[in-house]
Amino acid sequence: MSCDRVGNLLLTKFSTQGASDLAIYVPATIVFWLLKHLPVNRDPSLVAPPPGPAITQHDWDNPYTPRAQYVNCKELPGALRMHFVLDSKQDLTVVLDRANVELMRQIMGLYTKDLIDLEAQ
């Protein structure tokens, strides 16, 4: 994940099995919603996932990177299914295991100081 300079978006890149990496822009409002709703790891023996794909300037400059309009999540046994409705491409569904969910939650948490929460009260 990587944050834009304005604090509106995270560029999120997913590494997939059997396909190429996928990048989407996730608006700050979705990030803050996910942080409130993602399950927190309670298993001290959870093993960290392998490193994710690198984000480069080419990823930021790609005019075809879609933006998430909203996300629906469903908790599955040992995983989380996330269905992103995108503005310019076919919707994206990813299934993350517990380790990847926790990693995503932690990374998004680190970016909260750089993102603007427009719905904060």
Side-chain angles (χ1 to χ4, degrees):
M1 291 184 179
S2 179
C3 187
D4 72 336
R5 292 182 181 146
V6 179
N8 292 332
L9 299 168
L10 280 185
L11 177 59
T12 305
K13 199 169 187 183
F14 295 99
S15 183
T16 61
Q17 293 179 346
S20 60
D21 296 339
L22 301 162
I24 63 172
Y25 292 116
V26 179
T29 54
I30 293 175
V31 172
F32 286 106
W33 183 87
L34 285 169
L35 285 170
K36 291 177 187 172
H37 294 92
L38 286 177
V40 177
N41 175 49
R42 305 242 186 265
D43 180 3
S45 63
L46 188 66
V47 177
I55 293 178
T56 65
Q57 188 61 45
H58 172 73
D59 295 312
W60 280 107
D61 295 340
N62 184 347
Y64 303 108
T65 301
R67 181 182 177 122
Q69 294 179 316
Y70 61 90
V71 64
N72 289 316
C73 298
K74 180 173 181 165
E75 210 169 337
L76 306 169
L80 182 72
R81 182 180 60 86
M82 302 175 75
H83 179 81
F84 291 94
V85 174
L86 305 176
D87 66 348
S88 63
K89 287 191 178 180
Q90 184 176 358
D91 295 350
L92 172 66
T93 300
V94 294
V95 178
L96 303 175
D97 63 18
R98 293 181 317 128
N100 280 299
V101 170
E102 179 59 19
L103 179 61
M104 185 171 81
R105 190 186 66 73
Q106 288 180 16
I107 292 172
M108 287 190 305
L110 292 173
Y111 279 114
T112 57
K113 64 180 177 17
D114 299 322
L115 293 169
I116 300 167
D117 188 356
L118 297 175
E119 297 179 9
Q121 298 172 358

